Amino acid sequence: MIIDCHGHYTTSPRQHESWRTEQIAAHKEGRSVPARPKITDDEIRDSIVNGQLKLQQERGTDLTIFSPRAAGMGHHLGDASTSEAWATACNELIYRVCTQFPRNFIGVCMLPQSAGVSPRNCIAELERCVTQYGFVGCNLNPDPSGGYWKDPPLGDRYWYPLYEKMVELDVPAMVHVSAACNPAWHTTGSHYLSGDTAGFMQCLTSDLFKNFPTMKFIIPHGGGAVPYHWGRFRGIAQDMKLPPLQELLLKNIFFDTCVYHLPGQELLAKVIPTENILFASEMIGAVRGIDPETGFHYDDTKRYIEQLPFTPDQKAKVYEGNALRVYGRLAGQLKKQFG
Amino acid sequence: MIIDCHGHYTTSPRQHESWRTEQIAAHKEGRSVPARPKITDDEIRDSIVNGQLKLQQERGTDLTIFSPRAAGMGHHLGDASTSEAWATACNELIYRVCTQFPRNFIGVCMLPQSAGVSPRNCIAELERCVTQYGFVGCNLNPDPSGGYWKDPPLGDRYWYPLYEKMVELDVPAMVHVSAACNPAWHTTGSHYLSGDTAGFMQCLTSDLFKNFPTMKFIIPHGGGAVPYHWGRFRGIAQDMKLPPLQELLLKNIFFDTCVYHLPGQELLAKVIPTENILFASEMIGAVRGIDPETGFHYDDTKRYIEQLPFTPDQKAKVYEGNALRVYGRLAGQLKKQFG
């Protein structure tokens, strides 16, 4: 089975995003928020059949670990209550997708984060999504301020209540920022990659995984700048008298394969142990075009993986085995959804 | 000749940095700043002979394009006047190094930037350093707030007065942040690399090089996350209906080779045209140890370059030719300093 661990519902029915716009406008103007729009099963079906499902079939992947649109999380907008209502709406849609396409999508939730608000606030929604919806992970935004980096780093005890719940539920987090509202950052071009790099470094300089030895983070977009600068990070850790990165971080940190050209994928496969690489494409996402150098979609990452010198055993790990290990509830949920 | 385009004076005499501490303390307390300390030629000589010069000789490089300590620039500290006094002191020291070791060091200045203060403020110091000290470039900090990213992106007209002076003087800028005062960022681990990535993306989304077709930027640390994600950036530009990156940016943007392991260097050489790669080590800098996997210093980047499949002509470009092209005043200054 080929499991794509990084897909967002970027094709959700239009009234869903329109309601978000209304919600934030109402919040700003102090008006009451209109009722959530009706979205029919057919509308959901259409958005998937002509979108992610079509690409799964064309590209020959089997299952997407599916979460709300990352740039749409917008934790810098509104306040704790708008974030809560929006997260509820987004996660419910993911659940409906997984219910309609149980063999193709398994859910991961967004969290109702809000800049400057304790992550304690996210516990109830995480628990609800995992226990009621059968979700297997969450997306954790290390910068709810949208590019101003106002919240404490991930190693801070500020985040611990959420981590305790993650560990209790046996779900990992993908460390994934949302849209940048800071004009210095371009959401998918620089903010995502820098969020990945910052998140990794925040782990490196903390005792997070001493305190949560079973907790797992996936760093998306091939780990931001990290694998390309693996020597730099190894050297910085060494200068700080820390253990080797493999020992310090690689029991807990994993990288996805959202890297959109072969040389990047070759580097990732060369420097990061195979056990720490999870197949992913982020489709339909940041880059939608066809690469004139290959004739195929930039984000058709399976084509790159197929060109790497992996043994069949290694490839099975990247496509399936590692995901089953990192997402502790995935195997059980697969059984449920596959009936 | 082997030109290292990225070296900082990280070994400056202790009283220099002590004065900075006093200066900022005095500013905070509203006291007048003590006079600058006396630094003798011998002290400067010692700091170089046992530091950067020793490593140049050991590693077989010839000349370092040398600038004040990047993390020490601290544009988030004090105000416009403290930045001006500090930049003056730092640049003067660089000039003294270049005067004592004219065959080994050529100067690049730091700018007296200050968060929220117009870069117009930097013009006089840039001009002074270029015309009086013979410096050949400057370091431009895209985030003088030290990790909060409060200033406009590099494509904004805010920066244009400085660019006009750079073009007039025919000097490039290395886009290099300083220390992070934001706990979300680790200075050398994540802030530097994210600053590089942000700077590149700010250029990509602007018409900067339409308006300044001869201006040149060096993106240090191997371009941050950019070459590893070259496919992503190509794809994002394409989705935005922009010309190919080579046409859009590579007449103006160059990458240095401060990447501290062979696989990263291989990637850089593979995806970025040789014409856009400048040899550099950032020594003595972010990573000081010896890589147990090779037995050599992580930042001895010449060893990696020697292992790449460059033709002699390509290697000459990376080591020397590209630097002479990017730093328009370098050839003339070399003649002056070599006598």
Side-chain angles (χ1 to χ4, degrees), chain A residues 149 182 222 228 238 261 298, chain B residues 149 182 222 228 238 261 290 298:
Chain A
W149 292 90
N182 182 333
Y228 176 46
Q238 184 177 320
H261 62 153
Y298 287 98
Chain B
W149 292 90
N182 180 333
Y228 175 46
Q238 183 177 320
H261 63 155
I290 289 172
Y298 287 99

Side-chain angles (χ1 to χ4, degrees), chain A residues 225 228-233, chain B residues 3-8 59 64-65 174 176 188 192-193 196 218-225 227 255-262 264-265 268 277-287 298-302 304-305 318:
Chain A
Y228 176 46
H229 286 284
W230 197 239
R232 186 179 186 90
F233 289 97
Chain B
I3 302 171
D4 182 339
C5 81
H6 185 178
H8 301 294
R59 298 180 182 183
T64 301
I65 297 183
M174 181 173 276
H176 201 311
T188 54
Y192 280 13
L193 302 178
D196 305 336
I218 301 109
I219 311 282
H221 319 108
F255 300 94
D256 82 8
T257 67
C258 293
V259 175
Y260 296 158
H261 63 155
L262 183 60
Q265 295 273 0
L268 177 64
I277 301 174
L278 272 66
F279 175 71
S281 73
E282 199 191 353
M283 70 92 171
I284 303 169
V287 176
Y298 287 99
D299 66 0
D300 188 354
T301 52
K302 181 163 161 279
Y304 311 126
I305 307 285
V318 170

Side-chain angles (χ1 to χ4, degrees), chain B residues 69-317:
Chain B
R69 194 167 70 89
M73 298 189 297
H75 296 127
H76 57 282
L77 298 170
D79 60 14
S81 74
T82 49
S83 278
E84 194 185 321
W86 177 235
T88 306
C90 289
N91 291 330
E92 189 188 296
L93 272 193
I94 297 295
Y95 174 60
R96 292 178 64 189
V97 170
C98 298
T99 307
Q100 283 199 54
F101 302 94
R103 290 176 167 264
N104 303 97
F105 298 94
I106 281 192
V108 151
C109 65
M110 69 169 271
L111 297 171
Q113 294 180 248
S114 215
V117 175
S118 166
R120 252 180 232 286
N121 242 34
C122 301
I123 292 175
E125 180 64 6
L126 175 64
E127 187 148 39
R128 191 178 75 87
C129 289
V130 173
T131 59
Q132 292 178 33
Y133 289 167
F135 285 9
V136 298
C138 61
N139 290 334
L140 176 63
N141 182 351
D143 173 29
S145 73
Y148 291 96
W149 292 90
K150 290 180 182 169
D151 280 38
L154 293 176
D156 196 280
R157 288 180 179 268
Y158 179 77
W159 302 94
Y160 276 24
L162 178 64
Y163 297 158
E164 283 161 11
K165 184 53 72 174
M166 283 171 51
V167 168
E168 181 197 315
L169 294 169
D170 192 19
V171 294
M174 181 173 276
V175 177
H176 201 311
V177 294
S178 184
C181 60
N182 180 333
W185 297 106
H186 180 277
T187 297
T188 54
S190 55
H191 187 46
Y192 280 13
L193 302 178
S194 298
D196 305 336
T197 311
F200 179 84
M201 196 64 205
Q202 290 172 4
C203 295
L204 192 156
T205 53
S206 78
D207 49 8
L208 191 48
F209 300 120
K210 261 192 205 154
N211 295 332
F212 296 97
T214 63
M215 188 167 69
K216 294 184 177 64
F217 282 171
I218 301 109
I219 311 282
H221 319 108
V226 173
Y228 175 46
H229 287 284
W230 197 239
R232 186 180 187 90
F233 289 98
R234 286 199 289 112
I236 287 174
Q238 183 177 320
D239 285 354
M240 293 169 76
K241 318 275 182 222
L242 292 167
L245 293 185
Q246 186 130 8
E247 194 182 314
L248 181 70
L249 295 175
L250 294 189
K251 288 172 210 138
N252 306 88
I253 286 187
F254 301 82
F255 300 94
D256 82 8
T257 67
C258 293
V259 175
Y260 296 158
H261 63 155
L262 183 60
Q265 295 273 0
E266 287 172 337
L267 175 112
L268 177 64
K270 205 181 286 178
V271 302
I272 303 298
T274 313
E275 287 65 28
N276 294 76
I277 301 174
L278 272 66
F279 175 71
S281 73
E282 199 191 353
M283 70 92 171
I284 303 169
V287 176
R288 306 200 174 193
I290 289 172
D291 185 348
E293 292 184 11
T294 64
F296 298 104
H297 285 92
Y298 287 99
D299 66 0
D300 188 354
T301 52
K302 181 163 161 279
R303 289 188 179 271
Y304 311 126
I305 307 285
E306 292 297 324
Q307 295 173 68
L308 299 177
F310 282 139
T311 64
D313 177 57
Q314 286 180 312
K315 221 195 277 185
K317 284 182 181 168

Side-chain angles (χ1 to χ4, degrees), chain A residues 188-204:
Chain A
T188 54
S190 55
H191 186 47
Y192 280 13
L193 302 178
S194 298
D196 304 336
T197 311
F200 179 84
M201 197 63 203
Q202 290 173 3
C203 295
L204 192 155

Side-chain angles (χ1 to χ4, degrees), chain A residues 223-282:
Chain A
V226 173
Y228 176 46
H229 286 284
W230 197 239
R232 186 179 186 90
F233 289 97
R234 285 198 291 113
I236 287 175
Q238 184 177 320
D239 285 356
M240 294 170 77
K241 318 278 183 217
L242 292 167
L245 293 185
Q246 187 131 8
E247 195 182 311
L248 181 69
L249 295 175
L250 293 190
K251 287 171 211 138
N252 307 89
I253 286 187
F254 301 82
F255 300 95
D256 82 8
T257 67
C258 294
V259 175
Y260 296 157
H261 62 153
L262 183 61
Q265 295 273 359
E266 287 172 338
L267 175 112
L268 177 65
K270 205 182 285 177
V271 303
I272 302 298
T274 313
E275 286 65 29
N276 293 77
I277 302 174
L278 272 66
F279 174 71
S281 71
E282 198 190 354

